[in-house]
Amino acid sequence: MRGSVIKRGNSWSVVIDFGRDAAGKRMRKWHSGFETRKEAERARTEILSRLDHGTYVEPDRRTLSDFLEHDWLPAIKARIRPSTWDSYARNVRLHVVPELGGEHLQSITPARLNRFYAEMLESGRIGSERGLSPKTVRYVHGIIRKAFADAVRWNVVQRNVADLADPPKVGAAGREMQTWTADELRTFLHHIEDQRLYAAYLLAATTGMRRGEVLGLRWQDVDLDLARLSVRQTIVSVAYEIKFAEPKTTRSRRSIALDQRTVAVLRSWRKVQLEDRILLGDDYENSGLVFTREDGRFIHPDRFSQLFDKYVGSSGLPRIRLHDLRHTHASLALAAGVHPKVVSERLGHATVAFTLDVYSHAVPALQEDAADRVAALVFGA
C-alpha cells in the first residue's frame, strides 16, 4: 500500500493505492480538494499514519441529510423513547436539513456549525423572522453532537466536529422560570373549582407531577386511605399519537404523599367518574385512568395544556405554562422550609443538587432563615 500526490486541474489530490481486489481490479481511494502540493503531502502523511493505526476513514460523499434521515435516525429508533425520537426527527427535518442537509458529512467543520447556530439565533424560527431561543439551539446542537458521535463509532467520520463547536450558552438570555405565589395559586384553583378537570390541575399543583404523569395515573396506583400515589406510568404524545410508557428514569418512578385536601377532591372526582360510567353503560371505556373524558377515554396532553392556558387567561393572573405548576410547587415547598431532599424525591429528580440548582431562586429565603436561627441559638431570641 502506498500513497501519491497528483495535481488535477487547479487542486491537488492524495491517492491511496490498496493493491488489487480478487478480480484483479486496482483499488484506489482519492482524497481531493487540496490547494497546494504542501497541503496534499501533509494529508498523505496523516492518512498513511491513520492506516497504520487502524483509524483511517474512507472518503464518503454522503450528505448530512442522507446520513441523518437514512442511517442515523432509523438506527437509533429502537434505542430511545418514541417521544425523544419524534423530537429528534422533527428538529432534524425543520432546522438541520434545510440549512446543512446538502453539505457532505465529512466536510462539515466546527466553524460551519457555529455559523449555523448564529443563523438559528437570528432568524431560525419557521415562518417568522424571529430567532430561536438559546435553549432550542443548544438542543439542536445536542442532536447533531449525538449523530456525529455515532458517525465516529461507525467509522464514517474521523472526529466529532460538534465537540469543537460553540453552541450558545443558556443563561440570563434564556427564558426565566415563571411561578405563582401561594395566593395566586389559591386564586387560580378557586377560579377553576367548577371545571371538570379541577382535580387534575389541583393534583399537578400539590404534587409537582409532570403532565404525562398526571394524565397517565391509574386508580390502581392511588391509595386514598394512605394518602399516597405511585408514579408507574406516563402518557406521551408522539406526533399527536398517544402512547403509554414507564417513567423515564428510576427516580421518576416514585411514591408521593398527598395532602388531605387533595385526597378529598380525588374522592369527589372518583364519584363523578363512577356516575359517567353508570350513565354510559357499555359505551363507557374503562381505561383505569384517574383522569378521563366523560366516556372514559384518555385526555390528550395537548388538550390538557390548552385548557390550562384558557383558564389562566380568564383568571386575570400572570401567564404561566402548565409545566410551571411543577415549578410553583417546588418553589413554594422550598420557601416553606421543606427539606430539599424531600422536594427532590417528590419531583423525581436525579439528585438533590439538581433540584437546588434549578430552584436556586428559592434558596436565599432558606439562607436568611438559617442565619436567623443560628444567631438565635448563639445570642438568644
Side-chain angles (χ1 to χ4, degrees):
M1 176 176 54
R2 62 188 180 84
S4 57
V5 172
I6 298 174
K7 187 173 185 180
R8 303 177 74 188
N10 295 323
S11 64
W12 294 80
S13 299
V14 176
V15 185
I16 304 298
D17 193 335
F18 289 89
R20 298 182 183 276
D21 60 18
K25 184 178 179 181
R26 201 166 192 178
M27 298 185 297
R28 285 179 167 182
K29 295 295 180 183
W30 289 73
H31 298 259
S32 307
F34 301 101
E35 294 184 0
T36 65
R37 183 185 182 91
K38 188 174 182 180
E39 287 181 8
E41 290 285 2
R42 221 173 11 238
R44 183 182 70 86
T45 302
E46 184 178 349
I47 291 168
L48 291 175
S49 175
R50 289 199 189 109
L51 282 165
D52 289 340
H53 291 87
T55 59
Y56 172 73
V57 174
E58 294 186 6
D60 194 324
R61 301 299 290 172
R62 238 180 309 187
T63 64
L64 180 60
S65 176
D66 288 337
F67 176 75
L68 291 176
E69 296 184 310
H70 301 142
D71 297 318
W72 186 65
L73 283 171
I76 68 169
K77 193 167 187 177
R79 301 194 333 235
I80 59 178
R81 292 168 67 92
S83 57
T84 303
W85 187 89
D86 182 65
S87 177
Y88 286 2
R90 187 170 61 254
N91 277 278
V92 164
R93 184 181 70 254
L94 292 179
H95 302 303
V96 181
V97 169
E99 296 298 326
L100 293 176
E103 301 191 19
H104 292 127
L105 179 67
Q106 293 184 344
S107 68
I108 293 175
T109 64
R112 180 64 186 94
L113 289 180
N114 288 340
R115 290 201 307 275
F116 172 54
Y117 300 150
E119 292 163 1
M120 292 178 72
L121 288 170
E122 184 176 349
S123 59
R125 193 175 295 275
I126 304 299
S128 170
E129 294 182 357
R130 294 170 52 204
L132 294 169
S133 69
K135 182 178 180 180
T136 300
V137 176
R138 280 196 74 92
Y139 182 73
V140 173
H141 163 75
I143 296 172
I144 295 173
R145 186 172 177 272
K146 286 181 173 67
F148 268 95
D150 283 334
V152 171
R153 287 197 307 109
W154 299 341
N155 207 34
V156 178
V157 296
Q158 293 169 355
R159 61 175 182 169
N160 188 337
V161 293
D163 283 338
L164 306 175
D166 300 303
K169 295 180 179 179
V170 180
R175 184 188 190 279
E176 293 185 5
M177 184 184 298
Q178 303 295 322
T179 58
W180 278 335
T181 65
D183 287 341
E184 289 170 336
L185 179 56
R186 187 184 309 112
T187 299
F188 174 75
L189 293 173
H190 179 69
H191 176 68
I192 65 168
E193 204 165 8
D194 295 331
Q195 300 298 329
R196 177 177 174 83
L197 293 178
Y198 164 67
Y201 294 117
L202 174 72
L203 184 66
T206 58
T207 62
M209 291 170 67
R210 301 174 179 89
R211 178 182 70 172
E213 294 171 345
V214 171
L215 298 180
L217 185 66
R218 299 167 297 189
W219 282 116
Q220 70 186 58
D221 298 324
V222 180
D223 191 325
L224 295 179
D225 293 330
L226 293 179
R228 297 194 77 86
L229 63 80
S230 297
V231 178
R232 295 183 179 135
Q233 176 179 267
T234 185
I235 190 172
V236 293
S237 174
V238 180
Y240 207 75
E241 181 183 346
I242 290 301
K243 294 183 181 295
F244 291 93
E246 292 187 355
K248 198 169 186 178
T249 65
T250 303
R251 291 297 180 92
S252 294
R253 189 182 178 90
R254 63 201 186 278
S255 176
I256 303 175
L258 304 173
D259 64 276
Q260 289 306 310
R261 173 63 185 274
T262 300
V263 169
V265 170
L266 286 174
R267 288 188 189 279
S268 297
W269 165 250
R270 188 163 60 177
K271 291 179 182 177
V272 171
Q273 199 177 55
L274 180 59
E275 291 170 359
D276 290 339
R277 185 173 180 179
I278 294 172
L279 182 63
L280 289 178
D282 292 339
D283 292 331
Y284 186 86
E285 183 177 312
N286 188 16
S287 62
L289 296 174
V290 173
F291 301 109
T292 61
R293 295 155 63 176
E294 288 85 346
D295 61 2
R297 291 189 297 161
F298 63 81
I299 297 166
H300 198 287
D302 291 351
R303 177 59 176 164
F304 192 55
S305 294
Q306 291 163 3
L307 283 173
F308 178 79
D309 293 341
K310 174 186 173 183
Y311 297 147
V312 173
S314 62
S315 71
L317 292 165
R319 289 273 185 179
I320 67 171
R321 304 165 304 166
L322 174 61
H323 192 71
D324 290 327
L325 282 183
R326 177 173 166 84
H327 297 322
T328 296
H329 175 78
S331 298
L332 291 177
L334 289 169
V338 177
H339 196 286
K341 179 172 174 55
V342 175
V343 176
S344 181
E345 289 173 350
R346 288 178 68 81
L347 296 176
H349 282 167
T351 64
V352 178
F354 178 81
T355 304
L356 290 174
D357 185 45
V358 172
Y359 301 105
S360 58
H361 62 280
V363 175
L366 299 179
Q367 294 274 13
E368 293 165 8
D369 182 61
D372 291 340
R373 291 190 183 203
V374 172
L377 286 173
V378 177
F379 304 113

